[in-house]
Amino acid sequence: MAKTPTFLIIGAARAGTTALYDLVRQHPQVFMSAIKEPNYFAFEGEALDWRGPGNEFVNNSVHSWEDYSALFADAPEGTARGEASPLYLWAPDAAKRIRARLPDVKLIAVLRNPIEQAFSHYLYARAQMIEPLDDFEAALKAEPQRLADHWQPLFQYSSFPRYAEQLRRFRDEFPPEQMQIFLYEDYRTDPKAMLARIFEFIGVDHAFVPDVTHETNMGGQPRHAWLQNLVMRPNPVASLAALVVPMSARRAIRDMVSRRNLARDRLSPSAKAWLTDALRDDISQLQDMVDRDLSHWLEH
């Protein structure tokens, strides 16, 4: 029988999922897929014909069940098996697809203040050199046209963090005991305590303490576009390096160069006010769903 995941990190995007993937995979009783974001359930059965900058990320998603299950073939017996695809929380049909294939899987979601998340998503796209607009409000105004042009999901900044709407789809398919929902603040405040809860939830030794010192996936406005393009976008230099430099070393070099080349931008009051109004109803519904006070997310 093919090995399949016993747990999934379903999102949210820009809420520490890359860090969580790196931390959870440190556990000796956990096997994580080598591909961090296979995205299989986000697009199962769909044509991968997304457009716009960086469309190769989603168009190269794992697209067959055989290829997906092969990601876990080397998992040692008895280990918890998982992957982290933040698009699952966003994708309208992911919950039903996961339920059909993996009815007993455990689900982990980490939710970030959606106003912060939307802006962080934009800064990430800028850092990856796929967002052509250097003004966040202009990017928000461009969303309807980009959606009509079938640009890849990353550019839907204001709809990505509608968590109540998204979690409702999973709650319709899975019982509460198969889901754990955290806030990004939980991770920032006490990552070790949060990880202990996750380890217990997925059935491994919760006393294991991973190294939590490495920071990943920063976003920001590039100081030097040519340098950011060199480390972030496909090019002959990167292709040559891939032949001789291990993936882990390439990622470390990329993160170091990118971190030094990025300037942290600030969310404008007008953009914050617009997003707050646009997401207020969803935040109010989410408070009741997760039984936590989220009023600070709505403060101007």
Side-chain angles (χ1 to χ4, degrees), residues 151-208:
W151 276 32
Q152 61 132 321
L154 171 65
F155 297 98
Q156 299 174 37
Y157 301 119
S158 65
S159 61
F160 244 99
R162 295 193 63 85
Y163 304 134
E165 177 183 313
Q166 295 160 0
L167 284 174
R168 199 170 289 115
R169 296 194 288 258
F170 281 88
R171 290 196 167 185
D172 286 345
E173 301 294 332
F174 293 93
E177 60 269 20
Q178 282 181 235
M179 293 186 64
Q180 263 201 355
I181 301 169
F182 299 91
L183 300 185
Y184 186 60
E185 295 104 288
D186 301 332
Y187 171 71
R188 301 301 295 180
T189 301
D190 194 343
K192 293 178 182 178
M194 179 174 143
L195 284 158
R197 289 178 60 193
I198 289 173
F199 290 148
E200 186 172 22
F201 177 61
I202 64 176
V204 297
D205 180 12
H206 65 273
F208 176 79

Side-chain angles (χ1 to χ4, degrees), residues 86-248:
L87 282 176
Y88 293 162
L89 191 59
W90 164 85
D93 295 320
K96 287 183 180 294
R97 292 165 177 164
I98 294 169
R99 175 71 174 170
R101 294 279 193 181
L102 307 170
D104 300 318
V105 75
K106 294 183 177 180
L107 305 167
I108 299 164
V110 186
L111 311 179
R112 183 177 185 175
N113 178 329
I115 292 92
E116 292 180 0
Q117 192 279 346
F119 188 51
S120 176
H121 219 157
Y122 165 76
L123 292 178
Y124 173 74
R126 288 289 294 161
Q128 296 291 314
M129 299 303 291
I130 58 175
E131 171 54 74
L133 298 174
D134 62 4
D135 178 79
F136 182 46
E137 291 185 68
L140 289 173
K141 292 175 182 176
E143 281 186 38
Q145 187 59 53
R146 291 172 168 184
L147 185 62
D149 292 339
H150 200 51
W151 276 32
Q152 61 132 321
L154 171 65
F155 297 98
Q156 299 174 37
Y157 301 119
S158 65
S159 61
F160 244 99
R162 295 193 63 85
Y163 304 134
E165 177 183 313
Q166 295 160 0
L167 284 174
R168 199 170 289 115
R169 296 194 288 258
F170 281 88
R171 290 196 167 185
D172 286 345
E173 301 294 332
F174 293 93
E177 60 269 20
Q178 282 181 235
M179 293 186 64
Q180 263 201 355
I181 301 169
F182 299 91
L183 300 185
Y184 186 60
E185 295 104 288
D186 301 332
Y187 171 71
R188 301 301 295 180
T189 301
D190 194 343
K192 293 178 182 178
M194 179 174 143
L195 284 158
R197 289 178 60 193
I198 289 173
F199 290 148
E200 186 172 22
F201 177 61
I202 64 176
V204 297
D205 180 12
H206 65 273
F208 176 79
V209 180
D211 177 4
V212 298
T213 59
H214 182 62
E215 187 171 7
T216 57
N217 263 354
M218 288 182 63
Q221 296 282 13
R223 292 186 175 94
H224 306 290
W226 66 268
L227 180 58
Q228 202 68 13
N229 265 317
L230 184 64
V231 296
M232 289 298 181
R233 301 299 298 149
N235 59 75
V237 174
S239 299
L240 183 61
L243 299 176
V244 294
V245 182
M247 172 64 78
S248 58

Side-chain angles (χ1 to χ4, degrees), residues 7 9 16-32 80-84 108 187 191 194-199 202 204 208 210-212:
F7 72 94
I9 300 171
T17 52
T18 297
L20 191 56
Y21 167 86
D22 288 335
L23 293 167
V24 170
R25 74 194 301 228
Q26 291 181 34
H27 199 297
Q29 297 170 341
V30 172
F31 179 92
M32 298 296 286
R81 302 178 295 273
E83 55 113 330
I108 299 164
Y187 171 71
M194 179 174 143
L195 284 158
R197 289 178 60 193
I198 289 173
F199 290 148
I202 64 176
V204 297
F208 176 79
D211 177 4
V212 298

